Amino acid sequence: MRVVAVEEHMATEAFLRVAHGLEVVPGDETEMELMRTLERAPASRARLTDLDARLREMDALGQDMAVLSLNPPGVQPYPAADAVPLARDFNDALAAVVRRHPGRFGGLATVAPQDPAAAAAEIERAMGTLGLHGIMVNSHTGGRYLDEPEFAPLLAAAEEQHAPVYLHPRAPSALAPYRDYGLPGAIWGYQAEAGLHAMRLILSGALDRHPELTVVLGHLGEGIPYWLRRIDNRHAFAARTAGAATPMPRLSLTPSEYFRRNFVITTSGIDDPDVLALALRAVGEDNIMFAIDYPYEDPAGALAFLRDLPLTEAQRTAIGHRTAERVFGIA
Ligand code: MN
């Protein structure tokens, strides 16, 4: 079976050299200290930057394709004046990789939401000139979220250019209760942050303003499939009881209807058949894509999970490659 994995991180030496020399915006220091430590460690640095080794590993495992993205949180911790050219340079390098290995690598462009107009222009360039397959946004930017009015040009460009927005986790913007026990990371903070961001897009009415937008969530939907019925139920309650102190935007659909219409989820970092079964019942195999989350998860384990799952062949091929081909426009 053809296998396409869609949350596969990389970096270039040029990107890391420039990025590690930049000042980080206030609030992002702790997260970036951790990420830079990891990016500097020779073993993990090589796994991010050596794409020939990556191809050999994919060959050995029977993985046909990887849709690549910059290591999180991308350019978002940097001032706009630094982040905008950094994103452009990285996207040029990513597009060159994809051009050199068509059929093996796809690419999600990086943008700097700090400058929404520049991000919109970069989405147009990435989907046009560069021939990339979507964009990745690493959740909040300086504590701001994509439903806020300033980001409307970014969402409009993604919708117009048919650029799926992979909403990838990062450490939460309100860090205080997460500081202990490793909570900011993927133990809990990542899914809390990305799930929150997705819920803001749903509840704000942003998806009424951008009905054709596709948002991709990793980790089988960052917990949202588990909560869907309660979210609908409590949203109806909140809408009925909303007052001046707690205004609720009027929505044309229920939250779960937006989730099924505008979101596609991936298996990154999840190897639990019960959670996949729940996700399949919630959104169906046409809205689920395989992902490894390289280099943070074990590729062999993720591929074994995909192959050994008790699925119909139609489900396995949809999750293994067909949904990704449709969503990202991969031939
Ligand atoms: Mn990831």
Side-chain angles (χ1 to χ4, degrees), residues 19 21-33 36 73-83 112-115 140-144 170 173 175 179:
L22 294 175
E23 288 282 333
V24 170
V25 297
D28 289 355
E29 299 94 339
T30 312
E31 180 182 17
M32 290 316 294
E33 206 181 300
R36 284 175 172 179
V75 302
Q76 287 164 249
Y78 306 116
D82 296 318
Q114 302 89 309
D115 185 336
H140 76 85
T141 305
R144 309 300 298 270
R170 66 177 294 191
S173 60
L175 264 179
R179 284 199 191 278

Side-chain angles (χ1 to χ4, degrees), residues 23-274:
E23 288 282 333
V24 170
V25 297
D28 289 355
E29 299 94 339
T30 312
E31 180 182 17
M32 290 316 294
E33 206 181 300
L34 277 166
M35 293 311 290
R36 284 175 172 179
T37 300
L38 184 139
E39 288 168 346
R40 284 195 187 103
S44 47
R45 192 181 186 104
R47 294 191 86 204
L48 284 167
T49 57
D50 187 346
L51 292 174
D52 292 325
R54 182 93 58 114
L55 280 173
R56 289 193 294 275
E57 200 175 342
M58 287 162 59
D59 288 340
L61 292 170
Q63 178 191 345
D64 297 279
M65 192 165 179
V67 178
L68 300 169
S69 50
L70 179 55
N71 197 41
V75 302
Q76 287 164 249
Y78 306 116
D82 296 318
V84 170
L86 192 58
R88 269 201 301 261
D89 289 347
F90 173 78
N91 293 336
D92 286 339
L94 175 60
V97 168
V98 171
R99 269 197 305 274
R100 266 202 304 281
H101 303 281
R104 301 308 306 279
F105 289 135
L108 304 181
T110 288
V111 299
Q114 302 89 309
D115 185 336
E122 187 61 4
I123 290 170
E124 200 177 326
R125 192 178 79 95
M127 300 304 288
T129 319
L130 297 185
L132 294 173
H133 299 99
I135 67 168
M136 181 168 278
V137 173
N138 297 285
S139 200
H140 76 85
T141 305
R144 309 300 298 270
Y145 291 83
L146 294 177
D147 57 284
E148 297 182 71
E150 70 206 69
F151 298 115
L154 189 162
L155 295 186
E159 185 184 30
E160 168 79 24
Q161 299 295 320
H162 304 289
V165 179
Y166 202 126
L167 196 54
H168 188 280
R170 66 177 294 191
S173 60
L175 264 179
Y178 290 93
R179 284 199 191 278
D180 308 309
Y181 322 126
L183 279 166
I187 293 171
W188 193 255
Y190 270 32
Q191 55 264 37
E193 167 66 20
L196 167 73
H197 203 150
M199 289 305 300
R200 290 188 61 106
L201 285 173
I202 291 171
L203 297 178
S204 60
L207 300 171
D208 281 336
R209 297 189 287 278
H210 305 286
E212 304 285 323
L213 188 68
T214 297
V215 180
V216 181
L217 287 176
H219 316 105
L220 283 176
E222 309 293 5
I224 291 175
Y226 183 96
W227 293 100
L228 269 185
R229 281 173 69 92
R230 180 167 169 80
I231 289 167
D232 278 354
N233 177 345
R234 293 297 91 188
H235 177 258
F237 176 83
R240 272 200 311 278
T241 56
T246 55
M248 293 286 289
R250 261 184 198 290
L251 303 181
S252 60
L253 302 177
T254 63
S256 67
E257 287 170 336
Y258 293 107
F259 196 71
R260 294 190 176 96
R261 185 186 73 177
N262 293 95
F263 287 80
V264 182
I265 66 180
T266 84
T267 63
S268 60
I270 303 265
D271 60 356
D272 185 333
D274 291 335

Side-chain angles (χ1 to χ4, degrees), residues 317-330:
T317 52
I319 296 170
H321 65 97
R322 279 207 190 118
T323 303
E325 288 159 355
R326 184 192 84 240
V327 168
F328 293 120
I330 294 164

